Amino acid sequence: MPTRRSVIAALLGGGVGAATLTDARGYLDRFAPLSGAAWGAATAGSRERVATPYGRATVRYDDAGVPTVRGDDEPSLYFAVGYVHAADRLFEMDLIRRRMRGRLSAAVGERTVESDRFHTKMDFAAAAEASWRAVRDTPTGDAMRAYAAGVEAQRTSEPLPLEFRLLDYEPAAWTPVDSMLVEKQISWGLTGSFRSLRRSVAADALGASAAATLYPDRLDHDVPILRDGGAGEGGKAADSSTATAADAPNGDDLASLSAWLADFESEPGVGSNSWLVSGEHTASGQPLVANDPHLTLMAPPVWYQMHQRRPGMRVRGVTFPGVPFVVIGENDAGAWGFTNAGADVLDTYTYETRGGEYRDGDEWRAFETEERTIEVAGGDDRSVTVRKSVHGPVLERQGRRVGVAWTGLQASRTAVAVHELDRSDGREAALAALRKFDTPTQNAVYADRDGNTAYWMTGLVPVRESGGGDTGNGGPGDDGDAVRGDRVFDGSAREGEWPGYEPYGQPDLDTGWIPFAEKPGVRDPDYLATANQRIADDPDYYLGEGYAAPFRARRIYDLLDRRAASDGPFDFAYMRRVQRDVVDERARLFVPTILEARDAMGEPARAAADRLDGWDYRMDRDSRAALAFELFVGHYRERVFDPVLDTASLGEEHYPNDLVLFALDPESRWFADPPAEGVDPRTRRDVIAAAMADAAAEIDDEGYETYGDYNRTAIDHPFDLGFLNYPRLPTDGSPATVRNFRKESAVGSSFRLLARFDGEPSLGMIPGGNDGEYFSDHYSDLLEPWADAEYRPLVETTDGDPEVRFDPGNADAAGGVGDE
């Protein structure tokens, strides 16, 4: 009989939400809901009174389980926030820190060893400790200590959540460093990309021309975020003619390492939408703000919705469980949101080595080396060699290695930035806070009640230098040349160095980073939209090249432009219409080409293609055309790229985005005669016809009638068990629509915010339940309204007696906490 750990572990190896545990259901039937020792005390309620070493606080929940937490001061407020997070999301919090520390296998066994190996080698824990050292002596540090004490008060006095009972272990004490680990996990999920390494591997396997096709330096579109400039006040531009994929060294040698690392990058499609409209264009005369971050959809959701209140501050929106502050939302002065900026903040380096040393310019250095143990429950422990160079961790696979530099491996002030943003009293205070938002790089939009608005790019972005003199510790001299970061660098030749970078330490913020004032930004735009597209056409510095396809951006700007050109002002109803929009610009681009290929199709492919004739390109759940198109896209992508990638032993992680797919020239090598050795001759018409036949066969095999039969929510608990997973509900939207839903990668709108300042409440919605406790009425109660694109007002709960009171008492009873 399988152990609990072997049953539960499969999904945790490559990250939450990755596998199906087919053998789990029968085993866990023995742990039937509402009975059995594993479920004991699972439904016990929280205490009504809690002793605290701080001032008084109260918690009231509304009818969706969203708490309003009120404290006499900051420490009492954040103590109560920590208690509430632990009460509703303790297992989620523990899972994150275990994964980031490389300690999953100690709880769940063999299946997560590779995950632990990667995270141990990256040493995210040391980076989190560096961030805590930078923050601990600030008011933010005090707030995080109080938060950790609140988590501990709940953890040590209440029954543990069901998941701990199934895995049969108890979580360790929560510390402020654990909160910093949550921040590192968020940053890694948004910016931890090995794109340049994949590009180098593709260049070696397929040739520089093919790699340039898959990963172009610049996507061909006319909808950057800043359509009228605003790319900063000046600066030294990187030479775009240098450091191309053709120069990439050792790509073929690094193929196996690149494939392994692909398992630990963010899910495809992680992105977001936001837009703001100035009061000059609105019916109310006040600005409007919209934001919907596209993150992994999981049960419970990645966000925790709440209201926080103390004298002088009221803030509402969403927090990350494990971090006390509201990240996206509004206070009494303004509202703000974030989308991923797509900046290139990770580089990889190869080295000339001898024994345990590597060449660094004119000298040889010993790798910093440490042996660590991965504890494996029910199996043999593993020994892992952790190596570090001047750039950071050294990752190895089958004898190949690269050094990794990533902005998140050094101390970050992001916790301070978000804390100050929550307390900001207007635009200039908000921008001052965003200057400290070091990781991840984000597009921030902001508006305040005085009518001021702003967009600004946040986060540390390195100005890479190659050449120059030897200044020690991997830093080039003053005569170095700025270069792009889109290749694997020769670390021994000191290519692509980051002046000011200090892995696992405090960076020199005055050296080697794009100054905040020179990052893309603008005050008081008429209106502006971000959807992970290129930020500006001609930025003063190299920012990145891994931007999203422009489909969402184009649709949002088209809708905003249309309204601005009309006689009607922007109003809240129109903002909601834009956020609910499901027109797929991919279909507008490519459906005419599909229809032109109908005479190459047999039946029933032609019948499926006929559904697209006259279609309005809306990805509605009741649409038969949307079903045919979405299934066609997946099969077309495979038909185009797999024959060539397979011959080069490259996997689907090398797929480009859909703009590249649909813009391929019919005469390109991807439709060549033959496209690669061992691949049958074909034309683009042949490939389109074959892909539509595949789609028609899938429709028939699965018994689909409409898009909603296929496009159903698949939002699962980390254990991926039937009774813990959310219900499957039909919904609208696609990977390319504003109302975003990506069924295949379980990514979509993780929170929808519509903010206004006209006296009526702003609106928000999360995809599921606020409470992570399976037995709670609020475990999945918001899933159906989210799937139907409904909203709830962001209104505090002030009526009735508090569910929990926090009263000053014995500090030991409240659960004391240290820094580490």
Side-chain angles (χ1 to χ4, degrees):
M1 177 177 292
T3 65
R4 291 186 211 172
R5 291 186 175 92
S6 67
V7 170
I8 290 167
L11 118 36
L12 301 175
V16 173
T20 300
L21 308 182
T22 57
D23 56 344
R25 291 178 177 82
Y27 177 69
L28 286 175
D29 281 345
R30 301 183 61 194
F31 297 84
L34 305 179
S35 65
W39 306 81
T43 59
S46 295
R47 293 178 295 163
E48 294 181 358
R49 290 187 178 273
V50 178
T52 166
Y54 306 106
R56 287 180 171 80
T58 61
V59 179
R60 291 179 172 87
Y61 289 90
D62 67 13
D63 60 358
V66 176
T68 296
V69 182
R70 301 181 65 166
D72 285 352
D73 51 24
E74 282 217 333
S76 62
L77 170 67
Y78 292 122
F79 178 91
V81 170
Y83 193 96
V84 166
H85 274 180
D88 290 343
R89 301 291 189 89
L90 183 61
F91 179 71
E92 180 182 358
M93 293 160 61
D94 188 64
L95 193 68
I96 291 171
R97 67 172 171 177
R98 276 189 172 275
R99 183 168 65 247
M100 296 303 287
R101 288 184 182 276
R103 296 180 181 172
L104 280 173
S105 300
V108 301
E110 293 281 349
R111 297 288 189 90
T112 58
V113 167
E114 286 306 302
S115 173
D116 285 348
R117 192 186 308 277
F118 169 78
H119 289 90
T120 298
K121 284 179 171 288
M122 287 292 292
D123 204 0
F124 292 110
E129 290 164 2
S131 289
W132 175 239
R133 290 193 297 271
V135 167
R136 63 188 176 190
D137 296 328
T138 69
T140 301
D142 294 337
M144 297 181 78
R145 287 188 189 90
Y147 174 85
V151 174
E152 279 300 280
Q154 197 282 335
R155 183 190 69 86
T156 57
S157 64
E158 301 284 356
L160 290 173
L162 167 66
E163 293 91 339
F164 292 109
R165 306 174 76 82
L166 290 174
L167 286 170
D168 195 23
Y169 82 91
E170 293 188 6
W174 189 268
T175 73
V177 173
D178 293 324
S179 292
M180 292 301 183
L181 271 174
V182 173
E183 178 188 305
K184 297 299 179 185
Q185 188 270 340
I186 296 160
S187 297
W188 179 257
L190 293 170
T191 64
S193 171
F194 293 100
R195 176 186 170 94
S196 61
L197 182 59
R198 283 196 302 278
R199 180 171 178 160
S200 293
V201 168
D204 257 18
L206 304 173
S209 176
T213 298
L214 293 174
Y215 314 114
D217 290 339
R218 181 187 177 103
L219 293 174
D220 185 17
H221 66 81
D222 57 359
V223 284
I225 293 173
L226 298 173
R227 299 189 294 181
D228 299 317
E233 300 172 359
K236 179 173 59 176
D239 180 358
S240 62
S241 68
T242 65
T244 64
D247 301 321
N250 301 319
D252 183 51
D253 290 344
L254 297 172
S256 61
L257 177 59
S258 176
W260 180 64
L261 293 175
D263 289 338
F264 308 109
E265 296 180 272
S266 58
E267 291 287 347
V270 168
S272 305
N273 303 320
S274 70
W275 58 95
L276 60 81
V277 181
S278 75
E280 295 182 3
H281 295 274
T282 65
S284 67
Q286 293 289 331
L288 297 169
V289 176
N291 186 206
D292 56 295
H294 307 157
L295 300 174
T296 300
L297 302 176
M298 54 186 287
V302 67
W303 296 106
Y304 184 87
Q305 190 173 348
M306 68 190 319
H307 308 267
Q308 299 178 3
R309 184 170 183 173
R310 61 157 175 81
M313 185 192 81
R314 293 193 304 172
V315 61
R316 48 208 168 268
V318 287
T319 60
F320 287 113
V323 180
F325 313 118
V326 170
V327 178
I328 294 174
E330 62 180 8
N331 61 18
D332 286 348
W336 58 90
F338 294 99
T339 65
N340 206 20
D344 184 354
V345 295
L346 184 151
D347 282 344
T348 53
Y349 302 81
T350 58
Y351 304 104
E352 180 183 345
T353 62
R354 63 181 188 190
E357 295 181 319
Y358 66 101
R359 185 170 67 83
D360 176 31
D362 294 332
E363 62 181 300
W364 287 87
R365 297 176 182 268
F367 287 109
E368 181 183 334
T369 304
E370 179 184 355
E371 292 297 321
R372 298 187 186 178
T373 298
I374 296 175
E375 182 182 348
V376 182
D380 295 331
D381 293 349
R382 306 294 204 277
S383 179
V384 175
T385 302
V386 177
R387 287 190 177 88
K388 296 176 182 176
S389 72
V390 293
H391 301 107
V394 176
L395 302 180
E396 302 170 84
R397 196 72 169 174
Q398 297 182 1
R400 309 303 179 187
R401 61 172 59 140
V402 293
V404 178
W406 176 54
T407 53
L409 289 176
Q410 56 192 350
S412 167
R413 301 168 296 166
T414 296
V416 175
V418 179
H419 187 202
E420 293 183 358
L421 189 59
D422 285 359
R423 300 181 295 172
S424 62
D425 59 4
R427 180 181 66 188
E428 297 313 308
L431 288 175
L434 292 172
R435 286 177 176 268
K436 302 173 185 176
F437 200 107
D438 293 330
T439 58
T441 51
Q442 295 282 280
N443 299 304
V445 293
Y446 180 87
D448 66 26
R449 295 184 184 278
D450 293 329
N452 303 302
T453 64
Y455 157 82
W456 221 272
M457 179 186 172
T458 74
L460 293 177
V461 181
V463 180
R464 299 160 174 88
E465 294 184 358
S466 286
D470 181 359
T471 61
N473 198 32
D478 294 336
D479 56 340
D481 297 322
V483 297
R484 295 166 58 87
D486 53 357
R487 65 165 174 142
V488 177
F489 290 112
D490 184 340
S492 291
R494 292 191 168 174
E495 294 179 345
E497 296 295 307
W498 298 7
Y501 173 62
E502 186 62 40
Y504 310 108
Q506 178 65 46
D508 180 351
L509 297 172
D510 297 323
T511 303
W513 311 100
I514 301 177
F516 183 81
E518 298 178 28
K519 292 174 185 172
V522 61
R523 288 175 170 84
D524 296 318
D526 288 340
Y527 53 89
L528 177 145
T530 86
N532 317 118
Q533 78 271 40
R534 182 171 66 249
I535 296 174
D537 282 340
D538 296 300
D540 296 318
Y541 295 86
Y542 167 73
L543 300 175
E545 33 83 41
Y547 299 112
F551 302 117
R552 289 177 286 116
R554 174 170 290 120
R555 180 60 179 171
I556 295 170
Y557 263 129
D558 281 351
L559 291 171
L560 297 182
D561 289 343
R562 188 181 307 169
R563 190 66 164 190
S566 72
D567 294 332
F570 288 92
D571 57 17
F572 207 58
Y574 193 77
M575 296 285 278
R576 184 162 45 192
R577 173 188 165 189
V578 175
Q579 199 168 64
R580 289 171 159 177
D581 187 80
V582 293
V583 169
D584 195 317
E585 292 291 326
R586 298 176 306 171
R588 193 188 305 277
L589 173 66
F590 205 67
V591 161
T593 302
I594 297 172
L595 295 177
E596 290 174 359
R598 277 185 291 185
D599 59 358
M601 300 177 190
E603 290 291 343
R606 186 181 297 111
D610 286 343
R611 298 182 180 187
L612 307 179
D613 200 357
W615 177 40
D616 60 4
Y617 311 130
R618 294 181 57 83
M619 304 300 286
D620 291 315
R621 68 187 72 178
D622 59 355
S623 170
R624 299 174 73 242
L627 172 65
F629 178 74
E630 186 62 26
L631 295 184
F632 166 82
V633 171
H635 290 295
Y636 183 62
R637 185 185 300 116
E638 294 170 355
R639 288 274 184 176
V640 170
F641 294 117
D642 283 0
V644 178
L645 295 180
D646 287 350
T647 62
S649 299
L650 301 179
E652 63 182 29
E653 67 271 13
H654 289 274
Y655 287 158
N657 67 50
D658 284 349
L659 180 64
V660 172
L661 170 65
F662 292 133
L664 290 173
D665 190 298
E667 305 302 320
S668 74
R669 69 164 291 175
W670 303 95
F671 307 107
D673 184 12
E677 184 178 351
V679 178
D680 292 335
R682 64 213 185 127
T683 66
R684 188 173 73 167
R685 288 171 67 85
D686 294 335
V687 176
I688 291 173
M692 189 57 75
D694 293 339
E698 184 176 354
I699 291 170
D700 184 61
D701 292 344
E702 298 294 336
Y704 297 142
E705 293 291 338
T706 65
Y707 186 48
D709 295 333
Y710 162 81
N711 203 53
R712 303 177 76 85
T713 60
I715 302 175
D716 295 339
H717 184 277
F719 287 0
D720 198 14
L721 304 177
F723 63 87
L724 291 176
N725 293 341
Y726 284 169
R728 271 46 175 164
L729 302 175
T731 191
D732 307 315
S734 78
T737 58
V738 180
R739 180 176 167 184
N740 198 255
F741 181 67
R742 301 164 185 258
K743 179 181 184 298
E744 293 304 317
S745 58
V747 168
S749 299
S750 61
F751 175 60
R752 297 189 183 111
L753 171 70
L754 293 173
R756 55 185 172 185
F757 307 98
D758 59 2
E760 294 298 318
S762 299
L763 302 178
M765 180 61 71
I766 60 173
N770 216 39
D771 193 343
E773 168 57 60
Y774 167 71
F775 296 100
S776 169
D777 292 338
H778 307 302
Y779 182 67
S780 61
D781 56 327
L782 298 180
L783 178 63
E784 185 170 356
W786 175 86
D788 292 338
E790 298 176 6
Y791 299 83
R792 298 184 72 255
L794 299 183
V795 177
E796 296 177 10
T797 301
T798 57
D799 296 333
D801 293 332
E803 279 85 347
V804 186
R805 295 180 186 272
F806 299 87
D807 298 312
N810 188 308
D812 291 336
V817 63
D819 285 355
E820 301 301 331

